[in-house]
Each structure stands twice: as C-alpha cells, then as structure tokens.
C-alpha cells in the first residue's frame, strides 16, 4: 500500500546519505549575506574547513558524531561565531535538533549530518552528506523555541534528503520530499516530546572536540 511505499522510499533516501571524513570542501563559494526575509537552500557553492566535532547521544541512545565546519574566506569570524554559539548553548541545541531529525528520518548520525557556519543565504545543502547552517539557526533565533525549530528544520531535512532522488527542484524531487515527510509524520510527536534531543534519562550533553589549531 501507499504507506509501505513511502517507508521504502524514506529508507532508500536515508541509506543514500554518505559519511564524509574530508577536511575541506571547496566549490567556489558564493557570498550573499544572510537576510531574515530571504533564504535559499541547496546553494552548491561552498569553501569550508573542518573545525571540530560534536560528540553526544541521540534520543534513542545511539552514539552521535557531528562534524563542524567554518567558511574559509572568513575563517576567524566564523570560528568566533561558533565559539559564541557554543558558549550560549545554541550550538548544542542545534546538534540536539539535528540528531533528533536524523533519527526521525532514519539517517545514522555518525559523520553523515554536519553543521557548518557560513554567513550566506544557504540554509542547508546535500553534499553526499547533509550540511545545515548554524548561522541561519542562530540568526533566526530558533534556539528560543523547540517547536519552531522542529517545524522549520524538519522541512529542510526532508528537502535535502529528496535531492538523492533528483538534483533538480523538479516533480521527482517534490514527490520524494512529500513522501518522506508523510512517512515520518507518525513519529513526529515523539520528537516534539523530547526538546533539543533529550534522551529518556534527560541527558542533553555534547562534547566539542577540536580538530584544528584553534582552541575552542
């Protein structure tokens, strides 16, 4: 039936997400500064260096590892913004959100879901692994509301997953995105009941491990 087909599609999309262990990502970055009234997903042009890794636990109890990247042309400012987000707890909240959504969409959160800091209009992109922009999360104050954060980033997560079916924003992509969302909706209340990825024991701890020469 239709539900089985949607679950099979979601499983296929989740299995398509790749582990990325590279130190650099370079595709001729395009710089459009972030504006609250505009946002663009899927901008393929980025120039990123890997800064650190967040290690924690998913709501289901699995070990999670999320690499953190910073744009190279504005490296120092990007590092400062990551440090500020870490001090305020926004970085940890973003990690908790993403690991919750990865679990919802059946994507293993071991180097397949990434955080990047880039002051552009890009919300997220699919680079084999899935990349989500901390800058957008912070600027839009999504750390202030779990429900608002889940509502926005669930759609973004489904959008990027659907690009494994089509690189274009065509009918095939739209159909894949719709079916992926329909497949996960029955489990969404469970996500909403665990703010910022809290485990059943209430733990929300994340450890930020430095990978470059910058002290965090």
């Amino acid at each position: 039936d239709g539900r089985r087909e949607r679950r099979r599609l979601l499983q296929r999309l989740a299995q398509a997400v790749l582990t990325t262990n590279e130190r650099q990502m370079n595709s001729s970055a395009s710089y459009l500064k972030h504006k609250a009234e505009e946002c663009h997903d899927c901008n393929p042009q980025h120039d990123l260096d890997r800064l650190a890794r967040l290690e924690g636990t998913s709501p289901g109890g699995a070990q999670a590892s999320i690499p953190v990247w910073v744009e190279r042309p504005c490296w120092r400012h990007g590092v400062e913004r990551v440090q500020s987000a870490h001090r305020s707890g926004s970085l940890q909240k973003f990690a908790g959100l993403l690991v919750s959504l990865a679990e919802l969409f059946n994507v293993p959160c071991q180097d397949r879901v990434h955080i990047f800091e880039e002051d552009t209009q890009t919300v997220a992109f699919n680079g084999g692994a899935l990349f989500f922009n901390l800058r957008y999360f912070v600027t839009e104050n999504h750390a202030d509301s779990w429900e608002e954060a889940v509502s926005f980033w669930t759609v973004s997560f489904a959008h990027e997953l659907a690009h494994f079916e089509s690189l274009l924003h065509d009918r095939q992509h739209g159909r894949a995105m719709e079916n992926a969302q329909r497949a996960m909706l029955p489990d969404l209340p469970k996500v909403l009941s665990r703010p910022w990825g809290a485990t059943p024991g209430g733990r929300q701890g994340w450890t930020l491990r430095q990978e470059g020469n910058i002290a965090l």
Side-chain angles (χ1 to χ4, degrees), residues 24 31 62 65 72 75 101 120 127 131 134 143 155-156 172-173 195 205:
Q24 292 184 354
Y31 290 99
S65 174
R72 294 185 70 190
W75 169 261
L101 296 182
T120 66
F131 291 76
L134 173 66
V155 175
S156 181
Q172 185 178 1
H173 175 269

Side-chain angles (χ1 to χ4, degrees), residues 4 6 9 18 39-40 45-46 48 50 84 101 118 120 122 127 162 170 184:
R4 279 204 191 95
R6 289 192 291 272
L9 170 65
L18 302 176
C39 65
H40 303 285
Q45 300 181 330
H46 303 277
L48 307 172
R50 197 149 135 171
S84 175
L101 296 182
E118 185 179 72
T120 66
T122 303
D170 55 11
M184 65 77 191

Side-chain angles (χ1 to χ4, degrees), residues 147-162:
E147 291 78 10
E148 178 68 22
V150 170
S151 298
F152 181 90
W153 293 93
T154 298
V155 175
S156 181
F157 205 106
H159 183 108
E160 299 310 327
L161 268 183

Side-chain angles (χ1 to χ4, degrees), residues 57-60 96 100 146 193-204:
T57 306
S58 75
S100 297
W146 172 240
S193 71
R194 297 176 178 176
W196 310 114
T199 63
R203 297 185 304 276
Q204 296 175 302

Side-chain angles (χ1 to χ4, degrees), residues 23-160:
R23 293 291 181 186
Q24 292 184 354
M25 173 167 291
N26 189 327
S27 56
S28 303
S30 170
Y31 290 99
L32 293 171
K33 297 301 182 182
H34 173 75
K35 298 178 183 177
E37 68 273 16
E38 300 178 28
C39 65
H40 303 285
D41 282 10
C42 313
N43 181 347
Q45 300 181 330
H46 303 277
D47 189 3
L48 307 172
D49 269 344
R50 197 149 135 171
L51 172 69
R53 147 191 325 271
L54 281 161
E55 295 178 350
T57 306
S58 75
Q63 292 300 305
S65 174
I66 303 178
V68 179
W69 302 71
V70 173
E71 56 181 325
R72 294 185 70 190
C74 300
W75 169 261
R76 184 172 61 83
H77 294 299
V79 170
E80 289 173 355
R81 289 194 293 263
V82 170
Q83 291 170 330
S84 175
H86 185 232
R87 287 192 299 269
S88 71
S90 293
L91 178 62
Q92 296 89 320
K93 284 187 172 184
F94 197 33
L97 170 67
L98 293 177
V99 77
S100 297
L101 296 182
E103 196 166 84
L104 179 65
F105 284 98
N106 298 323
V107 176
C109 204
Q110 284 284 346
D111 296 332
R112 300 184 190 217
V113 173
H114 298 239
I115 291 172
F116 69 104
E117 215 296 335
E118 185 179 72
D119 190 13
T120 66
Q121 293 295 84
T122 303
V123 175
F125 68 93
N126 182 329
L130 303 179
F131 291 76
F132 299 91
N133 195 350
L134 173 66
R135 180 70 170 164
Y136 195 90
F137 179 82
V138 170
T139 303
E140 293 298 303
N141 299 312
H142 286 163
D144 294 342
S145 171
W146 172 240
E147 291 78 10
E148 178 68 22
V150 170
S151 298
F152 181 90
W153 293 93
T154 298
V155 175
S156 181
F157 205 106
H159 183 108
E160 299 310 327

